[in-house]
């Protein structure tokens, strides 16, 4: 039989989710197949057939003379079956939209007689994305529709085999939950938002968010949330965090011991669980062992009901240990417990926002083989019931999202090295590396084309090799936030109290003097500037000989990320040079190096904006978390400070030094002959004389 643009898809009596998947398949047929066959007298058909013997999410596809039959026992089985046809028979890959994929052929697709496929069980039961820190999606529209990007997120997730989603943060989650549910996705909830309810401080900004003072109001918010989600398939988050993703005792210091904190959290979890089960006896609950919650659990002061899914969390960098919060970094083991009899899962990050060192707009720089090893250990230790992956804005993280989806579908092969995942940085498990290599070949061939797959794969591997460590462990590599937030911390300390150690930087430097802290950051920045600068040069040469579509995608993806690092690393290095000159009282050169640093951050920002084209127009407009643009304007403030220290209060000497002739500069009958230059104008004048001093 043949599939073409006239193929009929019969889903008239199916759910919204199945009809949405069918519409996607119709679009794919129109895209991949020529409409030249419209003169055919009898179109082929795709029909859906219920088969109660198939488990949830399972499907079969079988071809007849002029009919392709999808059999499934539930709506997600039909959804996956329709996307299987799109992917395996039409060749439309899972992340087609996010990777700007275009079909390499146009025409009818021949399906061989007797074609049959039966799906296999997933390695992970509940699997999906947390669309968190979604600021790029908030500032971008498709076809003037701000909700359409979210539909593309949900489609991609379902194509990858996902079945649940946290559809944004706060109001975004509430807004997009109905759309996600209509696509057949189960709704999970943010670890900082118990029962998905409004935060207390949002609902009652004038009140202290204390359980002891306002127990009834908290319960009212939870009841409100339960009622508003009737009819949705929700996996309810139980727990109790403070306002704004912080420990609750920050707002209620009377809970000043671990025992008190654990007792209250245990009490509240019990109350929330009962409320959920009273509304729906079949509902499932989960609790995130995240941050301080895991610490309480490990100390034995937190009691959890047996029927609640325990969700272990990585540190934001792929390692299953507790996350660092400010300067507190206990790295408590967060691997699932193989002796635990209940359901277990993980909250894992392809993207993270910590205002310190994580990745948000670039690909996670840690080695993929380590990530595979870590997730393989999760599976081996029983973490098979629930995986929620922080996908952020999807596009910058397509590679890892695709790799992780492969693992939640297929699992991980047996490892050839010990199960201790806190291994040396350069210790790579051979079995994990082979999986990574196979996936890399498939990923690059699928999206960049067979001709350029090898060159692109090499660029990805060199990207991971270029990552600069800021600590001793394999997960401690500096991502783009390191080269933006650390310089801003140092600048703030310089302007506030440059004779004192920067407390905000203790996590990265230890208890060093301020000057030594600058040196620590500078060493990492210099190494990064060298590595990423060389990688940008190689990538530019590689792109020059690629086919045009591959070159465009390459420059949009991993090559862009390397370029962002190259500029931000160089900018961080120049900030450190400026601050050292400032500590020496060489204000003029400090100003000069600060201006050069600002220029590098502006180049990084322009590098992102230059990759906005077609549907991606405006994608980076709201880049406000790493916020490279903010790095530039913080440096503008530093420049003003440095000029005040070195040229104030009358602000004439620097102007004379750079725009007056040598003879005029020595004559001070009149201090200046023109309006005072702005900082930008003065820096431009410096460029004229000092451009060759750039290092």
């Amino acid at each position: 039989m043949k599939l073409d643009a006239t193929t009929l898809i019969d889903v008239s009596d199916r759910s919204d989710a199945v009809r949405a998947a069918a519409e996607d398949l119709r679009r794919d047929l129109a895209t991949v197949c020529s409409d030249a066959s419209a003169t055919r007298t009898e179109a082929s058909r795709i029909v859906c057939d219920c088969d109660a013997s198939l488990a949830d999410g399972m499907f079969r596809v079988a071809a007849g003379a002029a009919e392709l039959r999808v059999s499934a026992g539930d709506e997600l089985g039909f959804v996956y079956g329709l996307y299987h046809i799109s992917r395996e028979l039409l060749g439309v890959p899972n992340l087609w939209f996010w990777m700007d994929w275009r079909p390499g052929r146009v025409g009818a697709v021949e399906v061989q007689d007797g074609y049959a496929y039966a799906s296999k069980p997933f390695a992970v039961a509940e699997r999906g994305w947390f669309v968190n820190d979604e600021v790029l999606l908030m500032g971008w529209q498709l076809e003037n529709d701000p909700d359409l990007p979210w539909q593309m997120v949900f489609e991609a997730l379902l194509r990858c085999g996902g079945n649940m989603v946290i559809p944004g943060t706060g109001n975004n989650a509430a807004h997009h939950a109905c759309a996600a549910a209509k696509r057949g996705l189960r709704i999970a909830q943010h670890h900082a938002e118990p029962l998905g309810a409004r935060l207390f401080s949002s609902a009652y900004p004038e009140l202290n968010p204390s359980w002891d003072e306002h127990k009834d109001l908290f319960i009212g918010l939870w009841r409100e949330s339960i009622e508003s989600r009737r009819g949705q398939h929700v996996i309810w988050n139980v727990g109790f965090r403070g306002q704004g993703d912080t420990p609750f005792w920050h707002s209620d210091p009377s809970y000043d011991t671990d025992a008190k904190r654990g007792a209250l959290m245990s009490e509240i979890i019990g109350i929330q669980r009962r409320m959920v089960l009273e509304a729906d006896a079949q509902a499932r609950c989960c609790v995130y062992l995240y941050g301080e919650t895991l610490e309480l659990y490990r100390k034995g002061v937190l009691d959890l009901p047996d029927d609640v899914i325990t969700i272990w969390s990585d540190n934001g960098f792929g390692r299953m240990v507790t996350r660092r919060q400010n300067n507190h970094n206990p790295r408590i083991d967060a691997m699932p417990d193989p002796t635990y009899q209940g359901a277990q899962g993980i909250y894992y990050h392809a993207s993270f926002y910590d205002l310190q060192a994580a990745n948000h707009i670039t690909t996670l720089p840690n080695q993929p083989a380590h990530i595979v090893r870590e997730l393989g250990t999760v599976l081996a230790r029983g973490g098979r019931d629930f995986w929620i992956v922080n996908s952020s804005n999807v596009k910058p993280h397509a590679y890892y999202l695709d790799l992780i989806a492969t693992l939640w579908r297929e699992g991980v092969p047996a490892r050839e090295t010990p199960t201790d995942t806190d291994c040396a940085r350069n210790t790579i498990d051979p079995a994990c590396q082979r999986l990574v290599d196979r996936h890399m070949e498939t990923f690059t061939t699928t999206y960049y084309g067979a001709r350029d797959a090898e060159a692109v794969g090499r660029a990805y591997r060199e990207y991971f090799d270029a990552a600069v460590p800021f600590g001793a462990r394999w997960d401690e590599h500096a991502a783009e936030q390191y080269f933006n937030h650390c310089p801003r911390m140092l600048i703030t300390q310089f302007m506030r109290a440059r004779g004192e150690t920067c407390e905000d930087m203790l996590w990265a430097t230890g208890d060093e003097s301020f000057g030594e802290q600058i040196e620590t950051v500078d060493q990492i920045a210099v190494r990064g500037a060298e590595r990423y600068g060389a990688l940008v040069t190689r990538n530019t040469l590689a792109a020059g000989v690629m086919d045009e579509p591959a070159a465009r995608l390459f420059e949009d993806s991993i090559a862009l990320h390397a370029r962002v690092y190259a500029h931000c690393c160089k900018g961080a290095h120049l900030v450190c040079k400026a601050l050292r000159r400032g500590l020496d009282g060489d204000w003029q050169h400090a100003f000069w190096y600060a201006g050069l640093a600002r220029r590098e951050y502006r180049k990084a920002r322009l590098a992102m904006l230059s990759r906005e084209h077609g549907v991606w127009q405006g994608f980076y407009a709201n880049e406000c978390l790493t916020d490279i643009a903010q790095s530039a304007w913080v440096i503008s403030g530093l420049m003003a400070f440095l000029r005040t220290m070195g040229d104030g209060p009358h602000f004439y000497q620097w102007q004379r030094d750079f725009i007056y002739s040598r003879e005029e500069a020595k004559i001070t009958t009149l201090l200046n002959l023109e309006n005072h230059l702005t900082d930008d104008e003065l820096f431009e004048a410096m460029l004229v004389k000092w451009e060759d001093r750039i290092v």
Side-chain angles (χ1 to χ4, degrees):
M1 64 171 292
K2 289 185 177 181
L3 298 176
D4 58 31
T6 68
T7 297
L8 302 176
I9 306 175
D10 185 6
V11 292
S12 56
D13 59 344
R14 300 296 170 201
S15 67
D16 289 341
V18 178
R19 289 197 295 270
E23 281 303 308
D24 293 339
L25 181 54
R26 290 189 184 99
R27 177 203 60 217
D28 297 344
L29 286 164
T31 300
V32 172
C33 304
S34 169
D35 62 358
S37 59
T39 58
R40 291 173 57 199
T41 57
E42 183 177 353
S44 56
R45 299 174 67 240
I46 298 173
V47 299
C48 293
D49 179 31
C50 287
D51 185 342
S53 68
L54 290 172
D56 288 352
M58 298 295 99
F59 67 89
R60 291 193 300 267
V61 178
E67 184 178 88
L68 200 58
R69 183 168 296 274
V70 180
S71 301
D74 69 337
E75 66 174 17
L76 272 181
F78 288 122
V79 169
Y80 294 152
L82 293 171
Y83 285 137
H84 171 88
I85 295 170
S86 174
R87 179 177 56 254
E88 302 300 331
L89 301 182
L90 303 185
V92 180
N94 293 332
L95 299 176
W96 71 269
F97 173 80
W98 299 97
M99 294 296 286
D100 257 353
W101 176 89
R102 298 292 183 272
R105 64 180 182 183
V106 176
V109 173
E110 185 75 37
V111 181
Q112 67 184 75
D113 292 342
Y115 174 84
Y117 177 85
S119 66
K120 298 178 181 179
F122 291 90
V124 177
E126 309 284 356
R127 54 209 175 266
W129 293 343
F130 179 9
V131 192
N132 189 30
D133 302 325
E134 63 273 24
V135 294
L136 303 187
L137 301 182
M138 294 164 63
W140 169 60
Q141 299 184 5
L142 293 173
E143 301 175 8
N144 296 320
D145 182 353
D147 292 336
L148 188 53
W150 291 82
Q151 289 293 338
M152 305 315 295
V153 172
F154 302 148
E155 178 186 334
L157 173 56
L158 287 163
R159 284 179 173 271
C160 288
N163 61 359
M164 71 172 171
V165 68
I166 304 177
T169 310
N171 291 334
N172 270 341
H175 178 74
H176 296 294
C178 289
K182 286 184 177 180
R183 297 297 301 245
L185 290 164
R186 300 159 193 173
I187 307 301
Q189 296 174 332
H190 192 306
H191 58 86
E193 298 174 351
L195 301 189
R198 291 184 294 158
L199 290 178
F200 185 94
S201 291
S202 295
Y204 304 105
E206 72 284 358
L207 299 180
N208 179 39
S210 165
W211 171 259
D212 291 341
E213 296 175 26
H214 303 295
K215 175 178 178 179
D216 291 344
L217 296 181
F218 276 102
I219 291 175
L221 290 173
W222 300 335
R223 184 169 290 113
E224 171 190 84
S225 181
I226 293 171
E227 289 299 320
S228 70
R229 287 164 173 77
R230 284 191 181 275
Q232 294 181 6
H233 189 150
V234 177
I235 301 174
W236 299 91
N237 166 37
V238 294
F240 194 58
R241 294 206 81 196
Q243 309 301 291
D245 200 6
T246 59
F248 69 83
W249 51 87
H250 286 185
S251 299
D252 197 343
S254 65
Y255 289 90
D256 54 1
T257 68
D258 290 334
K260 291 180 182 177
R261 295 163 181 173
L264 178 61
M265 197 175 292
S266 300
E267 175 191 353
I268 289 174
I269 287 172
I271 292 171
Q272 293 168 340
R273 173 181 168 275
R274 287 193 296 273
M275 292 175 65
V276 168
L277 294 179
E278 286 170 2
D280 179 2
Q282 304 303 314
R284 302 182 71 195
C285 296
C286 66
V287 61
Y288 289 88
L289 300 179
Y290 191 62
E292 72 282 352
T293 307
L294 177 60
E295 293 183 49
L296 295 175
Y297 181 79
R298 288 296 195 200
K299 291 174 181 177
V301 297
L302 184 62
D303 295 324
L304 301 178
D306 293 338
D307 59 353
V308 172
I309 305 170
T310 57
I311 303 174
W312 307 82
S313 305
D314 78 317
N315 63 349
F317 296 81
R319 179 73 171 92
M320 292 302 297
V321 295
T322 51
R323 61 167 292 189
R324 179 179 59 249
Q325 298 190 77
N326 300 315
N327 292 319
H328 181 57
N329 190 22
R331 290 183 68 90
I332 297 171
D333 176 60
M335 273 290 178
D337 180 357
T339 67
Y340 185 69
Q341 298 301 307
Q344 298 184 88
I346 60 170
Y347 171 37
Y348 204 74
H349 291 80
S351 171
F352 189 45
Y353 175 52
D354 69 346
L355 295 92
Q356 291 181 331
N359 68 298
H360 178 251
I361 53 173
T362 64
T363 298
L364 175 68
N366 290 325
Q367 288 287 350
H370 285 312
I371 301 302
V372 171
R373 177 190 175 107
E374 197 77 357
L375 291 174
T377 304
V378 166
L379 292 173
R381 292 174 66 90
R384 297 176 172 270
D385 299 289
F386 183 107
W387 282 18
I388 194 77
V389 178
N390 192 318
S391 64
S392 186
N393 302 281
V394 182
K395 182 177 173 65
H397 313 292
Y399 168 78
Y400 264 120
L401 292 176
D402 193 75
L403 176 61
I404 294 171
T406 299
L407 304 184
W408 76 33
R409 291 192 303 267
E410 302 172 12
V412 179
R415 293 176 305 285
E416 299 176 12
T417 53
T419 57
D420 174 21
T421 62
D422 203 9
C423 56
R425 190 181 307 280
N426 58 355
T427 301
I428 300 295
D429 184 289
C432 294
Q433 187 60 55
R434 286 194 294 272
L435 186 152
V436 169
D437 291 343
R438 288 194 301 271
H439 173 265
M440 182 66 76
E441 182 179 2
T442 301
F443 180 80
T444 54
T445 300
T446 297
Y447 294 109
Y448 298 87
R451 177 185 178 275
D452 298 305
E454 183 178 350
V456 175
R458 182 166 54 250
Y460 270 90
R461 287 188 289 271
E462 290 177 345
Y463 172 87
F464 298 121
D465 290 342
V468 184
F470 65 84
R473 302 172 181 91
W474 66 257
D475 55 292
E476 294 178 321
H477 287 99
E480 93 277 340
Q481 287 173 57
Y482 185 97
F483 302 109
N484 283 267
H485 287 276
C486 290
R488 299 202 296 250
M489 294 176 196
L490 294 175
I491 288 170
T492 301
Q493 184 66 30
F494 179 88
M495 296 170 67
R496 179 184 291 156
R498 56 187 177 276
E500 301 174 8
T501 293
C502 178
E503 296 290 329
D504 292 326
M505 288 292 299
L506 294 179
W507 64 271
T509 66
D511 190 13
E512 298 178 336
S513 69
F514 183 54
E516 290 170 328
Q517 290 180 310
I518 294 172
E519 184 63 28
T520 295
V521 173
D522 194 25
Q523 289 176 1
I524 293 173
V526 167
R527 197 175 312 162
E530 292 172 349
R531 294 181 181 182
Y532 291 112
L535 180 54
V536 167
T537 299
R538 294 195 296 273
N539 286 344
T540 301
L541 293 173
V545 296
M546 290 180 184
D547 284 341
E548 192 279 328
R552 183 183 64 244
L553 177 59
F554 181 59
E555 295 282 13
D556 286 354
S557 55
I558 201 66
L560 171 62
H561 299 176
R563 193 175 296 276
V564 166
Y565 278 102
H567 288 305
C568 290
C569 288
K570 189 172 181 180
H573 163 58
L574 290 166
V575 165
C576 291
K577 286 182 72 73
L579 297 180
R580 277 199 298 267
R581 292 299 184 104
L583 291 177
D584 293 339
D586 184 357
W587 304 111
Q588 201 169 85
H589 281 92
F591 180 92
W592 160 245
Y593 285 120
L596 295 177
R598 183 179 64 175
R599 189 168 66 167
E600 291 300 322
Y601 287 107
R602 287 176 172 173
K603 287 179 180 179
R605 171 74 173 164
L606 288 174
M608 291 188 297
L609 297 180
S610 72
R611 305 316 305 171
E612 293 185 339
H613 53 82
V615 298
W616 306 110
Q617 291 293 339
F619 184 74
Y620 292 106
N622 197 43
E623 195 282 288
C624 62
L625 294 187
T626 296
D627 205 345
I628 294 174
Q630 185 191 39
S631 297
W633 68 251
V634 168
I635 295 171
S636 291
L638 172 64
M639 292 170 70
F641 180 87
L642 295 169
R643 188 178 178 189
T644 300
M645 296 297 291
D647 200 29
H650 301 301
F651 301 95
Y652 68 86
Q653 187 57 54
W654 289 12
Q655 185 161 329
R656 298 178 69 86
D657 291 342
F658 288 97
I659 71 168
Y660 289 11
S661 68
R662 186 174 302 175
E663 292 78 12
E664 289 176 320
K666 294 180 179 179
I667 301 171
T668 56
T669 305
L670 292 173
L671 298 183
N672 53 291
L673 305 176
E674 297 87 18
N675 287 329
H676 289 87
L677 298 180
T678 65
D679 292 341
D680 290 349
E681 290 168 338
L682 179 60
F683 178 69
E684 291 299 320
M686 284 182 166
L687 278 175
V688 173
K689 285 194 173 184
W690 283 0
E691 183 75 43
D692 60 348
R693 298 192 186 188
I694 297 176
V695 288

